[in-house]
Amino acid sequence: SDYDVRFVFVWPRERYLSVSLPPETYDLGVDAENLDLSGWDLRKALRLFGKSNAAVLEWLGSPIVYREDAGPVGRWRGLVAGTFTPRSAAAHYYGLGRNIMKRIGEGGGTTTAKRVLYALRAVFAARHVLREGAPAPVPFAELLAASAVPDRRRLEIAELIESKASATESTAIPRPAALLEFLDRELVAVSAGLADAEGPTPGSRELNALFRDTIRPTASAIAR
């Protein structure tokens, strides 16, 4: 229905030295070309990145980049391996999956293909993080290919993808009972895996250095 465009922006250096902190977010809404534009200030983005925030990691790992300042963004990506906390990222996806499943359960006998696919992506992403100890890839097809899914469930997922592509996002479909049971089992497995996942990675010296080196006298967008 639209194109999600996410970006990180940098205020002029003087704004960070003011008594009043500058805004940390910009939500520009959907424009005439169906571009849904919103972004975070660099300091907020780095703060969340230090907590292995899944949204920031997905922005950095997106296969589609519209504009990028290669220097600071490349340096930022180089910090992923040393700061990534599997437990935090997997817990995010687990919570997301549970919330979506709750909404599906409240919808009676119908739901939407989009909602089920979002729940699947959350579970597959959590499984990937726990299995690989690394951020989950952004493309759903890549996550699905690397996940242990029975053949019958794969066929159902393919049908959901086709349904989502050929109808509106709000089009109701019958609740896929077997696929939802599969999701419930996967969420239980993820919950059990969280207890053994790697805990927080201390230290923010590199993030502070990146922030200080990146802020400049004029504003600049540095990521999608």
Side-chain angles (χ1 to χ4, degrees):
S1 58
D2 55 40
Y3 298 90
D4 293 332
V5 181
R6 301 294 176 254
F7 57 88
V8 175
F9 62 90
V10 181
W11 288 105
R13 184 185 300 267
E14 290 76 12
R15 293 296 301 273
Y16 294 109
L17 301 177
S18 301
V19 173
S20 299
L21 295 177
E24 290 190 318
T25 62
Y26 259 115
D27 187 354
L28 304 177
V30 182
D31 67 10
E33 297 181 346
N34 288 326
L35 301 179
D36 181 355
L37 301 161
S38 66
W40 291 341
D41 166 50
L42 176 64
R43 180 158 51 187
K44 173 178 180 174
L46 287 176
R47 186 170 66 243
L48 293 173
F49 173 80
K51 300 176 182 179
S52 293
N53 178 272
V56 177
L57 291 166
E58 289 180 2
W59 293 6
L60 288 172
S62 173
I64 301 175
V65 178
Y66 301 112
R67 177 182 173 184
E68 174 175 292
D69 190 337
V73 176
R75 180 176 168 188
W76 192 351
R77 290 195 183 103
L79 297 175
V80 172
T83 60
F84 183 67
T85 306
R87 183 187 299 167
S88 296
H92 164 84
Y93 288 120
Y94 171 72
L96 179 61
R98 281 194 62 185
N99 288 338
I100 297 172
M101 288 292 285
K102 180 180 179 181
R103 294 182 65 186
I104 291 173
E106 294 171 347
T110 63
T111 183
T112 64
K114 176 182 178 180
R115 190 164 287 175
V116 178
L117 289 170
Y118 273 31
L120 286 163
R121 186 185 185 281
V123 165
F124 293 157
R127 284 289 223 172
H128 174 95
V129 169
L130 293 175
R131 182 177 65 250
E132 304 294 337
V138 175
F140 180 78
E142 191 173 335
L143 280 173
L144 175 60
S147 300
V149 182
D151 290 342
R152 179 55 191 155
R153 302 291 82 81
R154 286 186 184 275
L155 289 174
E156 290 182 77
I157 293 171
E159 292 170 359
L160 282 176
I161 294 173
E162 183 178 354
S163 174
K164 181 178 180 296
S166 60
T168 66
E169 293 188 350
S170 60
T171 299
I173 63 170
R175 281 167 45 102
L179 197 52
L180 295 178
E181 289 176 4
F182 166 77
L183 275 166
D184 281 333
R185 291 194 298 271
E186 288 294 294
L187 283 169
V188 170
V190 170
S191 178
L194 287 174
D196 299 324
E198 182 182 348
T201 301
S204 58
R205 182 173 59 183
E206 296 86 353
L207 300 182
N208 286 331
L210 175 59
F211 173 72
R212 291 166 183 154
D213 292 344
T214 303
I215 58 175
R216 296 190 283 258
T218 58
S220 172
I222 67 168
R224 71 205 129 277

